[in-house]
Amino acid sequence: MARLDGRAMPDTDAVFQRCYDGLELPDHFGWNWNALYDCLRDLRWLTADHHVLIVEAADQVLPADPSDRRMFFTTLLRAGRRWSYTRKPESLALGRLVVVLCCDTGSVPFLREQLQSCEENGATRAP
């Protein structure tokens, strides 16, 4: 399990640093959105079979940069969708990666709107 604090991620450098430290990303991490998605899509660098990523104060990530905030959420949505289930010949295995976004009650509508916007604008495409 990894916890990230959105209040400590005011710019992209801080986002990538927090992800690198909190998720223990591999040394080959490329410090950009595609590299973050590639690491979250792979997960071979982690020893456990199942992972939980909690982003506390998610509504406060990148407060002055809506474009990069959208990239962050899109990256998490894509990675979460990628690992929501894995088909195996014998069955269906659920949830190698679970992403939990937390915020205070008053920020729920804002965060919901941000996530819906990412979904509607192609969270299935590359960041």
Side-chain angles (χ1 to χ4, degrees):
M1 179 173 75
R3 287 184 178 271
L4 304 177
D5 185 346
R7 294 170 293 231
M9 299 190 297
D11 56 45
T12 54
D13 289 340
V15 169
F16 295 136
Q17 187 66 55
R18 296 287 182 242
C19 288
Y20 181 80
D21 293 340
L23 296 167
E24 300 177 7
L25 296 177
D27 290 336
H28 67 267
F29 173 59
W31 300 88
N32 60 60
W33 297 117
N34 285 330
L36 180 59
Y37 175 68
D38 287 346
C39 286
L40 293 175
R41 183 185 60 173
D42 182 353
L43 299 180
R44 283 183 284 177
W45 42 272
L46 293 171
T47 56
D49 289 335
H50 301 280
H51 313 282
V52 177
L53 170 59
I54 299 171
V55 181
E56 296 172 342
D59 57 312
Q60 296 181 41
V61 172
L62 298 159
D65 195 338
S67 176
D68 276 340
R69 182 175 47 242
R70 181 185 317 265
M71 291 301 295
F72 178 68
F73 290 146
T74 297
T75 301
L76 295 181
L77 283 168
R78 289 181 64 228
R81 183 178 297 119
R82 162 70 174 88
W83 290 112
S84 63
Y85 67 90
T86 304
R87 291 192 187 280
K88 294 183 176 184
E90 65 278 1
S91 66
L92 186 68
L94 297 178
R96 284 208 58 208
L97 174 67
V98 175
V99 178
V100 179
L101 302 177
C102 304
C103 65
D104 62 44
T105 305
S107 298
V108 169
F110 169 77
L111 189 56
R112 181 179 294 132
E113 178 182 308
Q114 294 288 301
L115 296 173
Q116 286 174 337
S117 175
C118 291
E119 191 71 33
E120 291 167 2
N121 290 312
T124 57
R125 291 189 293 244

